[in-house]
Amino acid sequence: MQRSSLFERLIRFNSGDIMFNKFQSFSKILLQKEELEQKHLHLVQIVESEKTAKWQYTQQCEELTIEIKKLRAEFYLPQLNALKREWRLTPSKSEEEESEEIRKIKKVQSFFRGWLCRRRWKQIVAEYISSPHAESMRKRNSLVFRMVESEEEYVEQLQLMVSCFLRPFKMAASSQKPPCTHDEVNSIFLNRYDTKSHLPFCHSLQII
């Protein structure tokens, strides 16, 4: 019985210690929480005060910038305009030298641009000459030129035949002692050799 009572006392003592330790840890946690809440409130107050100070500073800066602009408009701009007028009237030597250097640079740049443009144009022409479209255009032009040449030759020969053969034969057939009759002339020259229909066609081909 004595042993059991001692054992029970030990258990109660240990349980009391455990409860006391838990209570101490809980109280510490509560204290830490309160400290953190106080720090949080303090930081919030600091942030709000900084925001208000920032807003005040921005307003002051805006007011100062407006005043500076007014002062510039009243005092600085007239003096600056007067100085600009004086500088325009009396250009310095350094500006003249710089302008000459700039002119030289511009000349070199324009020459280089022209050279690049000519080089690119030559490349474009060479590429087009070797293209299939250019080959087809060359064939087309050669055919057109041949057609024009043949039509010109035909018109020349037709005019020669009419002026040298057909008209003299007709004049001879209508004379008092005809060497041949009109029927014979018509049998020789069966087709009507009229240059009126061929000349416009030839001119149109030449224009094309």
Side-chain angles (χ1 to χ4, degrees):
M1 293 293 289
Q2 290 178 357
R3 288 180 181 178
S4 62
S5 62
L6 289 170
F7 185 70
E8 288 176 357
R9 287 177 183 177
L10 288 171
I11 290 167
R12 288 176 183 174
F13 182 75
N14 289 325
S15 63
D17 290 335
I18 291 165
M19 291 295 290
F20 182 72
N21 290 326
K22 286 182 179 180
F23 180 75
Q24 284 182 349
S25 62
F26 182 71
S27 62
K28 286 180 181 179
I29 290 166
L30 287 174
L31 290 171
Q32 289 177 0
K33 183 183 177 183
E34 289 177 356
E35 289 177 357
L36 290 171
E37 287 178 352
Q38 289 177 359
K39 288 180 180 179
H40 178 69
L41 290 171
H42 183 65
L43 290 171
V44 169
Q45 290 175 358
I46 291 167
V47 170
E48 289 179 354
S49 63
E50 290 291 331
K51 285 181 180 179
T52 54
K54 182 181 177 182
W55 183 69
Q56 291 175 359
Y57 286 139
T58 52
Q59 282 186 346
Q60 289 178 0
C61 290
E62 288 177 356
E63 291 175 356
L64 290 171
T65 51
I66 291 165
E67 289 180 358
I68 289 164
K69 287 179 180 179
K70 288 180 181 179
L71 291 171
R72 282 182 180 176
E74 290 177 358
F75 299 103
Y76 180 69
L77 289 174
Q79 293 177 359
L80 183 63
N81 291 323
L83 289 171
K84 283 182 179 179
R85 288 173 185 173
E86 290 178 358
W87 290 343
R88 287 176 184 174
L89 292 172
T90 58
S92 61
K93 293 181 180 179
S94 62
E95 289 179 355
E96 291 178 356
E97 291 176 356
E98 287 179 357
S99 64
E100 289 178 358
E101 290 178 356
I102 289 166
R103 287 175 186 172
K104 290 178 182 179
I105 291 165
K106 286 181 179 179
K107 285 181 181 179
V108 173
Q109 287 178 352
S110 64
F111 177 76
F112 190 66
R113 287 195 195 96
W115 179 74
L116 288 173
C117 290
R118 288 191 294 273
R119 184 181 177 185
R120 181 58 183 161
W121 177 249
K122 287 180 182 178
Q123 290 177 357
I124 290 166
V125 171
E127 289 175 358
Y128 179 74
I129 288 168
S130 61
S131 65
H133 183 266
E135 186 67 26
S136 64
M137 291 299 292
R138 281 195 291 272
K139 290 179 181 179
R140 174 185 173 279
N141 291 330
S142 64
L143 291 171
V144 171
F145 291 148
R146 287 177 186 175
M147 189 183 293
V148 172
E149 289 176 357
S150 63
E151 189 66 24
E152 287 176 352
E153 289 178 359
Y154 178 72
V155 170
E156 288 178 359
Q157 291 174 3
L158 189 63
Q159 288 177 351
L160 180 66
M161 188 176 63
V162 169
S163 62
C164 295
F165 295 99
L166 182 60
R167 287 177 184 172
F169 270 106
K170 285 184 177 181
M171 290 172 69
S174 61
S175 63
Q176 292 180 358
K177 293 180 179 180
C180 59
T181 61
H182 288 284
D183 293 331
E184 290 175 350
V185 172
N186 291 325
S187 64
I188 293 168
F189 300 99
L190 293 173
N191 296 322
R192 289 184 178 180
Y193 297 98
D194 190 6
T195 59
K196 292 180 181 180
S197 61
H198 292 281
L199 283 173
F201 181 66
C202 183
H203 288 304
S204 63
L205 287 175
Q206 288 175 356
I207 291 166
I208 292 168

